[in-house]
Amino acid sequence: MGLLSLAVWTPIAFGLVLLALGRDEHVRAVRWLALTGSLISFLITLPLYAGFQLETSAMQFVEKAPWIERFNVNYHLGLDGISFWLVLLTAFINVIVVIAGWEVITRKVNQYMASFLILSGLMIGVFCALDGLLFYVFFEATLIPMYLIIGIWGGPNKIYAAFKFFLYTLLGSLLTLVALIYLYTQSGGSFDIATWHKMPLSAMVQNLIFFAFFAAFAVKVPMWPVHTWLPDVHVEAPTGGSAVLAAVMLKLGAYGFLRFSMPIAPDAAREWGMFIIVLSLIAVVYVGLVAMVQQDMKKLVAYSSVAHMGFVTLGFFIFNPLGVSGGLVQMIAHGFVSAAMFLSIGVLYDRVHSREIASYGGVINTMPKFAAFSLLFSMANCGLPATAGFVGEWMVILGAVKYNFVVGLLAASALIFGAAYTLWMFKRVYLGPVTNDEVKGLTDINTREFIMLALLAIAVLYMGLYPRPFTDVMEASVADLLKHVALSKLP
């Protein structure tokens, strides 16, 4: 087994062991085993950085073995600059989520921890798969553990939210399966994604394939107007579920655009680029305004996620290196920042059992350490320079201005809306005098919570102050993708 197989299957193996451990009498052992599994899984991904060659856009750490030989389906894994940081992000967030659920989850602990470990392995599989059918299997399999996480450990309306999540994302993916089967037949019986990139397809076929992929990836991002499932799911999901959903699962759709939609149907991508840009700008501007009027902190951050992911799709479809690289950087930055925002809300919810902004006020007086972390993450959510939230948004805005000044101007307005809804929430929750007895009785974060938030704070500041390692890795792959899209001509 190569490094990528270890990265995929190690967390899944630990998850299966946890399931076998049985009931809640082994809680302490379950927690430590889950933490060990997540740490080992993260450490396995670190040598990928040491061995990654920056100057090439070719797939690296490639593994290939026959899987379903009759249909020429291969177990085929690889990594390039587009998928590299997403693998490390997934493994890192998994460690944080295990720490976050350490004391909070008290029933069915082994199933809870196992669900996250298995989900982590499946998501890494999505980012590494170079075979179309293997990608689809991983892509759809991620729904199962997340469905269980929402449906078992969620809030009062958890069953409704779990079904909504499952049905929206599954229905979107069915058209993608049709597209994959069509490409398989047209390529002479190959599921190899690289082969599909080189196939000459007519204008009509490209348009149909583009929208078949769009159905799955737009729902997953989620883009406006198919974003309505996300706030409901975030509100009902447990804190760890919200963190993983925002930090990694939304990125599966955005990644699909770069790996499938743009290289397989390049002419259709260019033709419909303005359509995607308009949808992205609506997400950035309109959904930012919707976030302002939310009274539930989780809903506010959920709508904020839709707006921030609008930057990602905007960057991809302006077809210049700054925009695409900015979109990728924004994906990683949003992974750190959104996870931190949801985990911060979880810290308050564990104490007060309310997500309503009106239930708080003056938290800084009783939880000063926690308020300092929250201020940092709120500033990153606004896109403050020297934080991770700034880098990707700034790159996308610069790329958008080069593409079209009006598009760049509308994209830049998101920074104002982001500051408005985030800082207004921070002011009402944390600043001013203590407004009720529950806030008066709050205790500051413990060591476990401090470690969890400190790890995310380091990531947010490191990426904001020194983004070069992130941009250098993706440079060659982005240039190669844009060259392929630009040079493609209809047969």
Side-chain angles (χ1 to χ4, degrees), residues 40-99:
I40 290 172
S41 304
F42 177 59
L43 292 172
I44 286 167
T45 64
L46 294 181
L48 295 171
Y49 185 75
F52 194 84
Q53 296 173 0
L54 299 177
E55 63 281 354
T56 177
S57 63
M59 288 292 169
Q60 302 181 43
F61 308 101
V62 174
E63 300 172 36
K64 190 172 184 180
W67 180 25
I68 308 171
E69 292 187 57
R70 184 180 172 188
F71 297 105
N72 197 22
V73 181
N74 294 302
Y75 174 77
H76 191 186
L77 303 178
L79 208 59
D80 67 354
I82 290 169
S83 52
F84 175 83
W85 281 111
L86 294 167
V87 170
L88 270 74
L89 172 72
T90 306
F92 174 71
I93 293 296
N94 193 40
V95 176
I96 302 293
V97 165
V98 169
I99 297 171

Side-chain angles (χ1 to χ4, degrees), residues 4-196:
L4 295 186
S5 282
L6 285 171
V8 171
W9 297 108
T10 301
I12 293 174
F14 270 93
L16 294 173
V17 170
L18 285 172
L19 288 177
L21 275 179
R23 303 191 177 276
D24 290 339
E25 58 264 23
H26 306 297
V27 166
R28 185 176 170 81
V30 163
R31 287 171 178 155
W32 280 106
L33 188 61
L35 182 62
T36 304
S38 61
L39 282 169
I40 290 172
S41 304
F42 177 59
L43 292 172
I44 286 167
T45 64
L46 294 181
L48 295 171
Y49 185 75
F52 194 84
Q53 296 173 0
L54 299 177
E55 63 281 354
T56 177
S57 63
M59 288 292 169
Q60 302 181 43
F61 308 101
V62 174
E63 300 172 36
K64 190 172 184 180
W67 180 25
I68 308 171
E69 292 187 57
R70 184 180 172 188
F71 297 105
N72 197 22
V73 181
N74 294 302
Y75 174 77
H76 191 186
L77 303 178
L79 208 59
D80 67 354
I82 290 169
S83 52
F84 175 83
W85 281 111
L86 294 167
V87 170
L88 270 74
L89 172 72
T90 306
F92 174 71
I93 293 296
N94 193 40
V95 176
I96 302 293
V97 165
V98 169
I99 297 171
W102 194 267
E103 294 165 2
V104 180
I105 304 300
T106 54
R107 64 185 184 90
K108 298 183 179 175
V109 179
N110 62 314
Q111 286 110 316
Y112 179 85
M113 296 297 187
S115 296
F116 280 106
L117 284 161
I118 292 168
L119 178 61
S120 171
L122 294 172
M123 291 189 297
I124 290 172
V126 172
F127 297 130
C128 296
L130 299 181
D131 181 276
L133 190 64
L134 184 66
F135 170 89
Y136 188 78
V137 169
F138 279 132
F139 190 80
E140 292 303 291
T142 58
L143 298 181
I144 300 166
M146 183 51 81
Y147 174 77
L148 295 173
I149 288 163
I150 300 163
I152 297 173
W153 296 276
N157 293 322
K158 58 191 177 187
I159 304 300
Y160 166 76
F163 267 100
K164 193 170 185 179
F165 162 75
F166 196 86
L167 289 176
Y168 259 76
T169 46
L170 182 67
L171 288 172
S173 302
L174 290 177
L175 284 174
T176 297
L177 180 60
V178 174
L180 296 178
I181 293 168
Y182 176 82
L183 290 166
Y184 170 76
T185 57
Q186 293 301 301
S187 61
S190 172
F191 275 109
D192 183 53
I193 296 171
T195 302
W196 293 350

Side-chain angles (χ1 to χ4, degrees), residues 454-466:
L455 287 170
L456 285 163
I458 290 165
V460 166
L461 288 170
Y462 179 78
M463 189 174 185
L465 292 167
Y466 190 56

Side-chain angles (χ1 to χ4, degrees), residues 197-262:
H197 289 183
K198 297 168 191 161
M199 282 171 57
L201 300 169
S202 68
M204 187 186 77
V205 169
Q206 283 202 34
N207 284 330
L208 290 171
I209 283 175
F210 181 82
F211 279 102
F213 286 134
F214 178 81
F217 301 146
V219 169
K220 205 84 165 183
V221 166
M223 293 178 70
W224 182 90
V226 288
H227 68 290
T228 55
W229 63 270
L230 187 70
D232 290 336
V233 171
H234 270 311
V235 166
E236 298 304 324
T239 301
S242 286
V244 168
L245 183 62
V248 186
M249 281 199 86
L250 305 189
K251 313 305 181 287
L252 302 181
Y255 171 76
F257 280 120
L258 293 184
R259 186 64 80 221
F260 288 86
S261 304
M262 288 165 69

